Amino acid sequence: MCREMVVCGAVPNALLMKLAVNIFLITSVTGLAEAAHFAGRQGLDMGIFRAVVDAGQMASGISRIKSGKLVERDFSVQAAISDVLKNNRLVAEAARQAGIASPLLDACHALYAETENLGFGREDMAAVIRALEARTEAISLPFGD
């Protein structure tokens, strides 16, 4: 389940810690998808993009896995869009109840909801790139279309 166990204190601190870590996970993978989308649309070599991301200071086990999925467009599920959207909703609800702003999480929520609405809810969370692609296509259309 995990590499190491960490004692988080009294109930409900472990749950709140999980929610906090999910913010980092969701926003990180979404940022990676946006970076891959940008690189691809700029015509960059995606193999080199992956090598740079995987060697960079932000590299992690999850970034290496998801960069591969993005570059190879392998959206076989590890963490489904629908599940990430549900977790995102849980974190956002906890933030609202505590009066905490969550602008990055809110932006991610919109993108994962769009991805699910596009019919990709059972694909891996890296498939959030599909919402970015759809947004790009929408702004690329000439006026009147």
Side-chain angles (χ1 to χ4, degrees):
M1 300 275 302
C2 62
R3 185 171 27 140
E4 161 179 349
M5 287 181 39
V6 177
V7 177
C8 297
V11 173
N13 286 357
L15 173 61
L16 295 173
M17 188 66 69
K18 176 183 176 7
L19 297 178
V21 171
N22 273 335
I23 295 171
F24 183 55
L25 171 66
I26 293 167
T27 59
S28 295
V29 172
T30 306
L32 179 59
E34 186 170 339
H37 178 64
F38 178 87
R41 291 296 171 135
Q42 292 291 344
L44 297 176
D45 180 300
M46 295 306 289
I48 295 173
F49 168 80
R50 180 181 181 185
V52 170
V53 168
D54 289 354
Q57 60 190 3
M58 294 297 294
S60 66
I62 194 75
S63 72
R64 287 184 184 97
I65 291 167
K66 299 305 181 186
S67 68
K69 290 180 119 2
L70 287 160
V71 168
E72 296 162 17
R73 297 199 57 88
D74 168 16
F75 300 127
S76 57
V77 70
Q78 292 172 319
I81 290 287
S82 295
D83 294 335
V84 174
L85 183 58
K86 179 189 72 169
N87 288 332
N88 192 312
R89 201 173 290 127
L90 292 172
V91 178
E93 287 170 3
R96 296 304 167 270
Q97 289 172 358
I100 300 169
S102 58
L104 294 176
L105 189 69
D106 297 343
C108 291
H109 185 272
L111 289 167
Y112 284 88
E114 287 173 35
T115 308
E116 184 177 62
N117 289 336
L118 290 168
F120 303 112
R122 297 310 316 151
E123 291 189 353
D124 187 74
M125 70 186 297
V128 72
I129 196 170
R130 295 185 187 278
L132 299 167
E133 293 165 346
R135 285 186 181 194
T136 296
E137 293 304 319
I139 62 173
S140 297
L141 292 174
F143 288 103
D145 286 353

